[in-house]
Amino acid sequence: AQTVTQSQPEMSVQEAETVTLSCTYDTSESNYYLFWYKQPPSRQMILVIRQEAYKQQNATENRFSVNFQKAAKSFSLKISDSQLGDTAMYFCAFMKHWVNAGNMLTFGGGTRLMVKP
Amino acid sequence: ETGVTQSPTHLIKTRGQQVTLRCSSQSGHNTVSWYQQALGQGPQFIFQYYREEENGRGNFPPRFSGLQFPNYSSELNVNALELDDSALYLCASSPGLAGGTGELFFGEGSRLTVL
């Protein structure tokens, strides 16, 4: 079974600054996806960024980037130039990646991020 | 393109009752999964449906059951409600199993309160 751990229940950052959210996971799988999802007060989960485990290059998506350390089973999210709209719960999630695995996500407990003006 | 829609958005039930939650998947998506998110926690996988068949189940008792219809919409049924069933229930759809990007598209959820 997979586990995902987010050790920071809450974080805050000043607008325009940079913040890093931590995530570690445990799995015996070699091929998998990792995701960061954002859940604003509207409740809808929105994909922020994804990483395929076989790719060594860290994923980037505009102001969002990850530091993927496969051997250490670490997957942190860096948000640059933080904006007020980034205020939300952030969830790290794991998905196996093989045929017929289905699309089951294992989520961490979340980090509540507050961006202050 | 219509996204994932869920109904109802909020509902209140009493212990022992039964509830049905509904989900319409995003256009072109044939896979629907359901998650339970207790307050202040991450979502937990309940089960998934692919082409009207259950395809994977999490650690939830049999009183949690579901259906998927030919148009790929889905229902989550919970019998004999317990206080701990109070949660946000999220539906997510995707275009097939383990295909493409692996991304799931979520609805806004149904908030269930059991008194």
Side-chain angles (χ1 to χ4, degrees), chain A residues 37 44-47, chain B residues 1-6 22-34 49 68-74 90-96 101 103-108:
Chain A
Y37 277 89
Q44 186 174 23
M45 287 279 189
I46 301 165
L47 178 66
Chain B
E1 184 178 82
T2 305
V4 178
T5 58
Q6 294 187 241
R22 295 178 176 83
C23 172
S24 293
S25 60
Q26 185 163 316
S27 177
H29 289 186
N30 58 13
T31 305
V32 172
S33 50
W34 287 91
Y49 281 84
Q68 187 178 33
F69 300 99
N71 66 355
Y72 303 130
S73 66
S74 178
L90 295 168
C91 172
S93 73
S94 59
T101 65
E103 179 182 359
L104 300 188
F105 296 80
F106 284 85
E108 293 188 356

Side-chain angles (χ1 to χ4, degrees), chain A residues 33 35 37 39 42-45 47 50 89 91 95-110, chain B residues 9-10 31 35 37 40-43 45 48 55 88 90 94 96-98 100-104 106-109 111:
Chain A
Y33 293 112
F35 303 87
Y37 277 89
Q39 188 178 40
S42 68
R43 311 183 317 198
Q44 186 174 23
M45 287 279 189
L47 178 66
R50 61 184 285 275
M89 284 291 291
F91 291 96
M95 180 189 287
K96 293 180 189 178
H97 180 32
W98 46 274
V99 174
N100 295 328
N103 296 335
M104 184 186 86
L105 281 169
T106 301
F107 285 89
Chain B
T9 54
H10 296 85
T31 305
Y35 289 80
Q37 186 178 15
Q41 297 183 23
F45 175 74
Q48 176 180 265
N55 175 270
L88 179 67
L90 295 168
S94 59
L97 291 176
T101 65
E103 179 182 359
L104 300 188
F106 284 85
E108 293 188 356
R111 171 77 67 190

